[in-house]
C-alpha cells in the first residue's frame, strides 16, 4: 500500500504483457485524459474494443522501437493518436501541480506471472518471475526476491537468477533465429521481457 501498487491476477494480463483494464482506466478516468478519451471513443462508435484493438498495437510498436521501458515512458509521456493528444505517464514533481497528476498513474503488480514463448506451436521457453510490475497497463519490469533466512542476497543470488534466465532465453533464441532474424523481429518479441525491463532484486 505504501508504494501505491495494486495487486492484480495473472489472467488480466494479455499475451503482449498489457493490462487493458488499467490502460482504459488511466485514459478514461484521469482528469487530463477524460475529455479527449470521450472524443476518441465517439470516433469508434463508442466501441472500446475496436478502439483498443488499434491503440494497443500502436503503442506496442513504439515500445519495440524503444531501448527499454524507462526510455519508452520518458519519450512517450504524451502521445497523439487519431489527432488527439493523451498523457501515457504523469511524472512527479510538476512545478504547478507537484505530485497531483503523478498520483493518477496506475501501478500494478502480479505475483508469479508466467512468461512463455511459443514458436511453431510449441512452448520453447518459460519462466515465472516472483513479481511483475506494470505502469498504466504496460509492462515495466520484474523482480526476483531472495531470502536472507537461506543466506541468499539480492546482489548475488537475485542478480544471478536474472542473468541465468536471460542466458537460457538467449541460447534458445539463437537456436530459433538460426542467423535468419536479420530484422530482429523474433528477438524483440522473445527477449523483450529481459531487454526492455527495469530489473529489481531484493
Amino acid at each position: 500500500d505504501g508504494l501505491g501498487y495494486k495487486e492484480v491476477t495473472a489472467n488480466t494480463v494479455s499475451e503482449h504483457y498489457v493490462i487493458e483494464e488499467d490502460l482504459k482506466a488511466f485514459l478514461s478516468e484521469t482528469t487530463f485524459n477524460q475529455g479527449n478519451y470521450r472524443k476518441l471513443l465517439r470516433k469508434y462508435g463508442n466501441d472500446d474494443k475496436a478502439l483498443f484493438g488499434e491503440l494497443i498495437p500502436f503503442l506496442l510498436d513504439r515500445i519495440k522501437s524503444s531501448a527499454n521501458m524507462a526510455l519508452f515512458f520518458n519519450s512517450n509521456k504524451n502521445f497523439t493518436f487519431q489527432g488527439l493528444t493523451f498523457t501515457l505517464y504523469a511524472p512527479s514533481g510538476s512545478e504547478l501541480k507537484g505530485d497531483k497528476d503523478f498520483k493518477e498513474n496506475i501501478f500494478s503488480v502480479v505475483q508469479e506471472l508466467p512468461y512463455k514463448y511459443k514458436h511453431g506451436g510449441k512452448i520453447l521457453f518459460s519462466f515465472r518471475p516472483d513479481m511483475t510490475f506494470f505502469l498504466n497497463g504496460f509492462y515495466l519490469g520484474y523482480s526476483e526476491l531472495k531470502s536472507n533466512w537461506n543466506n541468499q542476497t539480492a546482489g548475488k543470488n537475485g542478480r544471478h537468477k536474472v542473468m541465468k534466465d536471460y542466458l537460457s532465453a538467449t541460447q534458445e533464441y539463437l537456436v530459433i533465429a538460426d542467423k535468419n532474424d536479420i530484422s530482429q523481429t523474433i528477438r524483440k518479441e522473445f527477449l523483450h521481457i529481459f531487454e526492455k525491463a527495469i530489473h529489481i532484486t531484493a
Side-chain angles (χ1 to χ4, degrees), residues 16 18-20 22-28 33 36-37 40-41 44 47-63 72 76 78-88 136 138:
H16 298 294
V18 178
I19 302 176
E20 187 174 317
D22 283 2
L23 177 60
K24 181 179 178 181
F26 184 72
L27 294 178
S28 66
N33 282 325
N36 277 353
Y37 179 77
L40 181 62
L41 192 57
Y44 285 85
D47 184 348
D48 55 9
K49 284 189 177 180
L51 190 165
F52 286 101
E54 291 188 12
L55 177 59
I56 289 175
F58 169 80
L59 291 170
L60 288 174
D61 280 343
R62 291 194 171 197
I63 289 173
F72 165 73
N76 290 278
N78 297 299
F79 69 91
T80 300
F81 180 73
Q82 297 283 16
L84 297 165
T85 300
F86 297 91
T87 294
L88 185 60
N136 298 332
F138 286 96

Side-chain angles (χ1 to χ4, degrees), residues 67-133:
N68 58 53
M69 293 309 296
L71 293 175
F72 165 73
F73 279 110
N74 189 53
S75 60
N76 290 278
K77 289 189 285 284
N78 297 299
F79 69 91
T80 300
F81 180 73
Q82 297 283 16
L84 297 165
T85 300
F86 297 91
T87 294
L88 185 60
Y89 164 64
S92 61
S94 163
E95 289 186 17
L96 296 176
K97 297 184 179 180
D99 288 347
K100 182 182 177 183
D101 286 351
F102 177 78
K103 290 177 181 176
E104 295 202 52
N105 290 310
I106 300 172
F107 295 91
S108 297
V109 60
V110 184
Q111 291 191 53
E112 297 190 339
L113 176 66
Y115 173 74
K116 300 175 183 178
Y117 182 76
K118 295 181 180 178
H119 186 76
K122 296 180 181 178
I123 297 174
L124 299 180
F125 177 82
S126 67
F127 84 122
R128 193 184 296 255
D130 291 327
M131 295 196 296
T132 305
F133 303 101

Side-chain angles (χ1 to χ4, degrees), residues 143-162:
S143 175
E144 289 293 347
L145 304 179
K146 297 302 167 187
S147 172
N148 55 12
W149 294 104
N150 297 330
N151 294 317
Q152 296 178 329
T153 67
K156 182 181 177 182
N157 306 91
R159 289 181 190 171
H160 180 74
K161 178 70 165 63
V162 170

